[in-house]
Amino acid sequence: MATGSPSLDRIVERLGSTSDPRRRYEYVLWLAKKLEPFPDELRQDAFKVKGCVSQVYVVGSLQEGRLHWRGDSDAQITKGLLALLIEGLEGLTPAEATALDPSFIAATGLQASLTPSRANGFLNILRTMQAQASRLDAG
C-alpha cells in the first residue's frame, strides 16, 4: 500500500506483515520510547488532540516547506500511535500530509487489537495533524 510517505509505507508494511498482535504492540511501544521529550510550554489547549481519552499533544512546524512534528501523550500505547504518525508524516509537505488517506490505518492491522476509543483516538491524532498542516500551509 502506497500512502504517499515512504516512511509511513515502511511502518505500515512492518506492522501489516506480522500476524502477532503482541509484536505490533511491542513495536508501537518501542516507537513511543523514541519520541523526543516534549516541552511543558507546549502542553496547551491549542495543541491538544480533541476526542482522545488520553491527554495527547501534537505540534507541527513548517521549515523550508517541510513539516516537522513534536508530541506527547500520557498513555504509552497512545504515545506510540502518535510516534508512528510523527515518524510517518515527518518531512512531508503540507499538501502531502493533508492528502493522506486514513485507510492506511487498517493496513497496519492495529485496529484488530485497539479498543474502539484508541482506534478513534488514532484517527483523531491524524486528523489534528492534517488540520495543522493545512493551517501551516495557509500561512
Side-chain angles (χ1 to χ4, degrees):
M1 161 173 226
T3 62
S5 161
S7 177
L8 189 57
D9 289 346
R10 281 191 300 278
I11 295 168
V12 170
E13 171 67 28
R14 180 169 186 166
L15 287 166
S17 68
T18 183
S19 58
D20 183 357
R22 200 181 88 229
R23 302 237 346 146
R24 284 191 199 109
Y25 265 117
E26 287 169 356
Y27 181 64
V28 168
L29 291 170
W30 176 76
L31 288 172
K33 290 178 186 159
K34 287 179 44 179
L35 269 187
E36 293 187 16
F38 191 72
D40 282 340
E41 65 268 13
L42 294 178
R43 292 179 198 280
Q44 47 187 283
D45 277 350
F47 304 124
K48 192 171 181 183
V49 176
K50 310 293 184 258
C52 278
V53 176
S54 308
Q55 301 293 307
V56 184
Y57 298 90
V58 64
V59 180
S61 62
L62 198 57
Q63 297 163 14
E64 297 178 14
R66 298 279 171 187
L67 293 163
H68 300 283
W69 302 97
R70 299 181 82 175
D72 196 20
S73 174
D74 61 352
Q76 285 304 299
I77 290 290
T78 306
K79 187 173 183 171
L81 297 173
L82 171 65
L84 184 161
L85 291 172
I86 285 175
E87 190 169 315
L89 276 68
E90 179 67 23
L92 296 182
T93 65
E96 290 167 336
T98 55
L100 280 176
D101 183 337
S103 65
F104 75 85
I105 295 171
T108 64
L110 285 167
Q111 284 182 299
S113 48
L114 291 177
T115 62
S117 65
R118 279 222 174 96
N120 189 47
F122 192 23
L123 185 58
N124 287 337
I125 295 167
L126 174 63
R127 287 192 173 134
T128 298
M129 292 172 79
Q130 289 178 314
Q132 283 188 28
S134 184
R135 283 195 300 277
L136 287 165
D137 196 31

